[in-house]
Amino acid sequence: MKRMERERFVDLVEQVLETLPQLFRERINNLAVLVEERPPGEIARSREGLVLGIYQGVPATQKSVFDMSYGPDRIVLYQKNIEAVCSSDAEIRHEVRQTVLHELGHYFGMNEEQLKDV
């Protein structure tokens, strides 16, 4: 398990977001990407294995211009869980990128089956 200072981890998340293809960045609207230490109990217990991140919101494919907005959708990355499956800074960077891409897939309306190869 590799540990990283929170500020450095957040910087890494920002770098990953900045390196996303322009096409994706242009289509992201009203989305917050947050870092928390670990998932709350109800999320941690609702899945098998460690939860590295989660998308909370309404997928873009299901949104309507008539929907009332309740604030931004959220992608939450769980730093301690990501660190638990990594043994180097390079692995953390890779896992953060994979987790962000996976959760962005949910934001864009993809399901788990569609995301298996992402």
Side-chain angles (χ1 to χ4, degrees):
M1 173 166 54
K2 174 72 175 169
R3 295 182 194 262
M4 187 178 279
E5 293 290 326
R6 172 60 65 97
E7 184 177 324
R8 190 156 173 245
F9 190 91
V10 170
D11 287 345
L12 179 61
V13 172
E14 290 173 0
Q15 290 170 17
V16 165
L17 292 170
E18 289 170 3
T19 63
L20 291 173
Q22 185 68 26
L23 183 64
F24 282 109
R25 287 186 291 160
E26 289 172 356
R27 288 184 164 76
I28 296 171
N29 210 357
N30 204 22
L31 176 70
V33 180
L34 308 169
V35 175
E36 294 179 4
E37 282 201 10
R38 290 187 175 84
E42 67 272 7
I43 293 173
R45 286 190 299 272
S46 68
R47 315 227 174 179
E48 293 183 29
L50 283 178
V51 176
L52 305 182
I54 190 166
Y55 168 69
Q56 300 169 325
V58 177
T61 55
Q62 297 175 16
K63 288 185 180 175
S64 165
V65 294
F66 300 107
D67 289 340
M68 297 274 299
S69 178
Y70 295 103
D73 289 357
R74 301 167 19 129
I75 289 175
V76 183
L77 302 177
Y78 299 113
Q79 182 177 350
K80 298 296 180 194
N81 287 5
I82 290 173
E83 291 172 341
V85 299
C86 298
S87 59
S88 69
D89 287 358
E91 285 183 14
I92 291 174
R93 176 183 298 276
H94 175 77
E95 199 60 59
V96 165
R97 181 170 178 75
Q98 291 301 111
T99 303
V100 167
L101 291 175
H102 182 94
E103 300 311 330
L104 277 173
H106 290 306
Y107 169 81
F108 287 117
M110 297 173 76
N111 63 33
E112 289 297 326
E113 186 64 31
Q114 294 169 314
L115 287 168
K116 279 186 179 178
D117 297 326
V118 173

